[in-house]
Amino acid sequence: MELNGAQLIAIFIVSAIAGMGSVLDEFQTHRPLIACTLIGFILGDMTTGIIIGGTLEMIALGWMNIGAAMAPDAALASVISTILVIAGHQSIGAGIAIAMPLAAAGQVLTILCRTLTVFFQHKADSFAREGSLRGIDICHLGALGIQALRVAIPSILVAMYIGTGAVQSMLDAIPPVITGGLQVAGGFIVVVGYAMVINMMQAGYLMPFFFLGFVIAAFTQFNLVAFGVIGLVLAIVYIQLNPKYNKTVAAAAPSGSGNNDLDDDLDD
Amino acid sequence: MKKLTKSDFFWTFVRSNFAQGSWNMERMQALGFCFGVIPIIKRLYSGDERKQALKRHLEFYNTQPFVTAPIIGVVSAMEEQKANGKDIPDGVINGLKVGMMGPLAGVGDPIFWGTVRPITASLGASFALGGSLFGPILFFVLFNLIRLLVRWYGIKYGYEKGTDVIADVAGNTLQKITEGASILGLFVMGALVNKWTSVHVPIVISTIQKQDGTTAVTTVQTIFDQLMPGLIPLLLTFMCIKLMKNKVNPIWIIFGLFAVGILGYWSGILGM
């Protein structure tokens, strides 16, 4: 499918916004749910975009930037895989499979960009010495612009060559045993994301709640909203009953005076 | 008497949404923090004092981006006092930032990346898998609403309480919230491991011809499902946890599982 000029411009803008979202991690425009949907809309098949987004989102659930550790890049993976599926006429399973190496490549690219932007940090130092507020704004936003181009340039290249048939024949050359296998793997690849979330919590003593969720899911038909409510109730009850948090009240009660604040401070 | 105005806080709030734009390997969010508090610095200082203030806020800084809000609030309160003649050395303001960023990241990471985003995202994805636009919209609105409220009230709270915030950071409340969020997050993760995975082992163990003419086929999967549905994904999850604890890059684990999928499909051990 050949893309027209307006579509190419729109892809450039959306992929730039996704690239910025990836470093900012604020508006979540880099998340598959958002980026794939927007690309799908541009390519005239939003429903497919939404489904790819939902599938990729589950895989990417645990991809997060913690401290100085960079996550696999959801932005590049979402944008390009959606283009390949819709404009390159691939199956969603194949799209997901291609998204993974793209996420790894995006991770390398963002580390590269975050090293390049050290230059902007130093430029900002010299603007600070001049007392130039505008200079600092330009440095900050310039660095953000590099992150936007990081995703926008590869995406627009893919979008431009998708109609030429070269990309198409390359994708069609993938044997069915690979695409089938990748589709099978798609069923359980999501556990990596779940494992990342569990690892990040670093709360081994709370794992009984994990097993409870697992068993309830195994034998009921509850949906996610129900699980959310049950989980919230469990959390509140746990906090209310936990002796760790009730100590101060018990200790302060016999004194009966207004020293609670002081006691709190001492106990902390 | 220099006083910060509502619009200063509004613009700081807006700018703080771009805190990580210039995240770099050397000083991480340093420039981003400075970018955020520029309306504050602009209001309070001019000339050499302004240069000094800019330099002060270009020092190394990194935390979970949403919990930066209360730190911005406290810093604004201190800068306001400093601009009005109170003797606060540069090192104190920086020490406060560095002192708060660690504990707050310890709260922000499990709450936002471990609980709020996985739950809102999987909720959105559950609708999106059926092709419904409601899914992405739900995720976008819900997550950003929570995030913006935390940012807005965080700045306000930090500014009003000033350095008293440090006592709160060390206190029980944040610990309660973190622990509660972790419980909710882990509970939902447990449900997801079971419900939102599919592993199918179609190897036939026995085919029994029944009296009424039907055949009962027992596969490996049937046995697993009788034992405990979702057992294989559960074991896989723990394998991933173990590998990550040994510092294996998650993307390699993903590639590894893809290889397992292809081999399994090719040999017929794993089915759709």
Side-chain angles (χ1 to χ4, degrees):
Chain A
M1 170 172 143
E2 194 102 35
L3 304 182
N4 61 38
Q7 281 175 318
L8 289 177
I9 293 169
I11 285 176
F12 187 84
I13 294 170
V14 165
S15 53
I17 292 173
M20 288 192 266
S22 165
V23 67
L24 292 174
D25 224 344
E26 297 276 344
F27 306 92
Q28 309 302 315
T29 51
H30 63 302
R31 297 300 292 185
L33 266 181
I34 312 292
C36 297
T37 303
L38 292 174
I39 295 291
F41 174 72
I42 293 168
L43 298 178
D45 187 358
M46 189 156 74
T47 309
T48 304
I50 294 170
I51 296 171
I52 302 168
T55 316
L56 263 181
E57 185 67 49
M58 291 311 288
I59 296 174
L61 211 59
W63 295 1
M64 47 191 150
N65 300 310
I66 302 279
M70 241 59 72
D73 185 40
L76 196 69
S78 304
V79 172
I80 295 184
S81 64
T82 311
I83 296 174
L84 292 179
V85 168
I86 297 175
H89 309 293
Q90 297 301 309
S91 69
I92 290 179
I96 300 301
I98 296 162
M100 294 308 121
L102 285 169
Q107 188 178 22
V108 173
L109 272 178
T110 191
I111 291 172
L112 192 75
C113 288
R114 287 167 195 238
T115 311
L116 277 174
T117 49
V118 171
F119 166 77
F120 290 83
Q121 177 77 53
H122 285 269
K123 198 83 194 110
D125 287 343
S126 53
F127 279 120
R129 280 192 290 276
E130 297 163 19
S132 165
L133 300 179
R134 174 170 287 245
I136 287 177
D137 285 356
I138 291 169
C139 286
H140 182 74
L141 297 174
L144 184 59
I146 287 194
Q147 293 283 359
L149 292 177
R150 170 182 69 88
V151 178
I153 290 174
S155 303
I156 201 74
L157 287 176
V158 170
M160 277 159 65
Y161 287 101
I162 193 81
T164 59
V167 178
Q168 185 88 42
S169 53
M170 217 165 69
L171 291 171
D172 290 341
I174 304 172
V177 67
I178 302 279
T179 44
L182 293 172
Q183 212 157 340
V184 167
F188 53 81
I189 219 101
V190 286
V191 299
V192 181
Y194 305 154
M196 286 171 91
V197 174
I198 295 164
N199 257 2
M200 195 273 293
M201 302 278 200
Q202 292 184 325
Y205 68 103
L206 294 176
M207 281 306 273
F209 292 102
F210 170 83
F211 291 109
L212 186 62
F214 181 85
V215 171
I216 293 177
F219 297 104
T220 65
Q221 291 300 317
F222 294 165
N223 68 4
L224 267 175
V225 179
F227 279 104
V229 173
I230 297 170
L232 201 61
V233 170
L234 287 172
I236 292 169
V237 172
Y238 178 89
I239 302 290
Q240 279 174 352
L241 295 181
N242 195 333
K244 188 165 68 182
Y245 301 120
N246 294 326
K247 234 183 281 171
T248 45
V249 181
S255 69
S257 64
N259 284 340
N260 288 5
D261 283 353
L262 182 61
D263 283 351
D264 278 346
D265 289 344
L266 290 174
D267 285 348
D268 291 341
Chain B
M1 179 77 183
K2 286 165 181 160
K3 185 100 183 93
L4 293 168
T5 65
K6 252 207 167 92
S7 92
D8 296 338
F9 284 112
F10 176 74
W11 287 111
T12 295
F13 162 75
V14 171
R15 279 164 171 260
S16 76
N17 282 294
F18 298 88
Q20 300 205 97
S22 58
W23 202 105
N24 61 79
M25 289 297 180
E26 188 188 274
R27 269 175 272 166
M28 302 189 180
Q29 299 167 352
L31 178 51
F33 189 92
C34 186
F35 177 80
V37 295
I38 274 183
I40 309 281
I41 293 173
K42 194 176 178 184
R43 172 76 57 197
L44 296 175
Y45 301 109
S46 56
D48 278 348
E49 278 185 329
R50 180 179 285 184
K51 292 174 193 169
Q52 192 59 33
L54 289 173
K55 185 166 175 274
R56 182 158 66 234
H57 290 297
L58 282 170
E59 299 281 342
F60 177 90
Y61 181 80
N62 194 36
T63 188
Q64 200 280 339
F66 312 157
V67 296
T68 282
I71 302 184
I72 288 177
V74 181
V75 164
S76 307
M78 290 180 88
E79 291 288 1
E80 195 179 52
Q81 289 175 352
K82 188 176 164 75
N84 284 312
K86 193 169 174 192
D87 180 33
I88 303 173
D90 288 3
V92 170
I93 295 178
N94 245 315
L96 182 106
K97 277 166 70 180
V98 174
M100 282 176 78
M101 71 190 194
L104 278 176
V107 173
D109 287 335
I111 292 179
F112 294 107
W113 301 149
T115 307
V116 177
R117 189 166 69 187
I119 288 179
T120 52
S122 52
L123 192 63
S126 69
F127 290 102
L129 288 174
S132 163
L133 182 59
F134 179 67
I137 291 176
L138 183 72
F139 165 63
F140 187 75
V141 171
L142 216 55
F143 187 87
N144 279 297
L145 188 72
I146 295 169
R147 182 181 72 78
L148 290 171
L149 287 174
V150 168
R151 275 208 174 286
W152 179 254
Y153 287 102
I155 295 176
K156 211 171 135 89
Y157 163 81
Y159 178 68
E160 279 163 7
K161 289 207 95 174
T163 42
D164 291 347
V165 167
I166 297 163
D168 286 354
V169 169
N172 261 343
T173 317
L174 280 182
Q175 202 189 342
K176 280 184 191 170
I177 297 172
T178 313
E179 205 161 38
S182 300
I183 290 172
L184 175 60
L186 287 172
F187 182 75
V188 173
M189 279 311 122
L192 289 178
V193 167
N194 191 293
K195 265 202 155 44
W196 286 49
T197 49
S198 72
V199 178
H200 187 59
V201 187
I203 300 172
V204 177
I205 292 178
S206 65
T207 312
I208 299 163
Q209 195 79 34
K210 283 190 190 165
Q211 300 245 303
D212 55 5
T214 56
T215 46
V217 180
T218 307
T219 63
V220 174
Q221 193 60 45
T222 331
I223 294 178
F224 274 129
D225 285 345
Q226 278 164 0
L227 211 60
M228 167 66 84
L231 191 62
I232 300 176
L234 183 69
L235 295 175
L236 277 176
T237 307
F238 281 104
M239 193 192 75
C240 293
I241 291 175
K242 189 94 190 131
L243 285 172
M244 281 176 213
K245 286 218 165 110
N246 290 322
K247 306 267 175 241
V248 180
N249 188 334
I251 208 90
W252 289 115
I253 304 177
I254 290 178
F255 286 136
L257 288 179
F258 268 136
V260 169
I262 293 168
L263 284 174
Y265 181 69
W266 173 73
S267 61
I269 295 171
L270 294 172
M272 298 269 179

